[in-house]
Amino acid sequence: MKRTAFFISDGTGITAETLGQSLLAQFENIQFSKLLRPYVDTVEKARDMVQQINAAAEKDAARPIIFDTVVNDEIRRELAKSQGYMIDIFSTFLAPLEQELGDGSSYSVGKTHSIQHNTHYKDRIDAVHYAMDNDDGARTHHYAQADIILVGVSRCGKTPSCLYMALQYGIRAANYPLTEDDMERLQLPKALKEHKHKLFGLTIDPDRLQGIRNERRPNSRYSSFAQCEFEVREVENLFRKENIPYINSTHFSVEEISAKILMQMGIERRLK
């Protein structure tokens, strides 16, 4: 079964998309065509959206699902003329909250993701810059400022995990690739020893690692299964020897990896 889902907002659409994606993920037997439509902030834009929604309804022979965080009543009324099934995220959750808190919502556009209302915006940007500047073992003399340092073999998911933690949580995350020399000596590099309490390891199944590396350097020793199997085995031995916590990243998304890391290390997110 195929259905179209729209994430519509008069702001960035991040809230509508995030919650909508989470809900749709529970329906594994349905294939969704997902369309983000941010900044639908005029009646004219809403009318254009109605045409897009109706076209999708005709194509699918089924009502599109609409997740919206539009706060303007006039725009919402226009969208309601479409053939879609609308889920108003704000009214669903804000009305009960207003009753519980005894206060009315401001119903303002872009509260969550605007700079002027986000006191942690600078923390987020600084964390992203830190992750980029301290990627792949660069600038190890800055590790004193790190909240966490990811270690593991090349191409096991360290960089995307660091960037995700920086962007979503404001965590200052560095990463250091363990080399073949480190594995043969079975000891931590000097740059990591004094920061051992900040280390967290990532590992990966050798066949998965081979596939990733083969896209980067096909038919090389670096991407051979024998080399991948050796590196994974030895780095896991190093993690166990040094009592470094670690997880296998093979079957987890970057979101899951990051959440598991912060939970196991007891690190609180900076962005709240």
Side-chain angles (χ1 to χ4, degrees), residues 148-158 174-179 182-189 192 195-205 209 213 228-250 257 261 264-265:
I148 190 168
I149 305 167
L150 299 189
V151 291
V153 300
S154 171
R155 313 304 290 180
C156 68
K158 301 184 299 299
N175 76 79
Y176 189 101
L178 295 171
T179 67
D182 300 324
M183 299 166 204
E184 288 178 348
R185 291 194 299 267
L186 207 62
Q187 64 181 21
L188 287 174
L192 297 180
H195 305 290
K196 184 178 174 181
H197 62 290
K198 297 181 180 181
L199 301 184
F200 193 95
L202 290 185
T203 185
I204 188 172
D205 291 351
L209 181 61
R213 287 185 173 183
C228 293
E229 195 277 334
F230 164 77
E231 291 186 25
V232 169
R233 181 183 68 246
E234 292 306 305
V235 82
E236 289 181 358
N237 287 337
L238 179 59
F239 291 158
R240 287 189 285 267
K241 176 188 174 186
E242 298 287 347
N243 292 316
I244 297 171
Y246 69 95
I247 61 172
N248 187 312
S249 65
T250 306
I257 293 169
I261 290 171
Q264 290 191 36
M265 295 294 282

Side-chain angles (χ1 to χ4, degrees), residues 74-89:
E74 190 177 4
I75 294 174
R76 291 205 77 258
R77 285 195 296 271
E78 194 65 34
L79 291 173
K81 297 176 183 178
S82 74
Q83 298 174 30
Y85 175 73
M86 293 185 67
I87 300 174
D88 180 357
I89 292 174

Side-chain angles (χ1 to χ4, degrees), residues 33 35 44 48 194 205 217:
S33 174
L35 304 173
E44 290 73 21
D48 178 67
E194 63 180 302
D205 291 351
R217 298 183 196 168

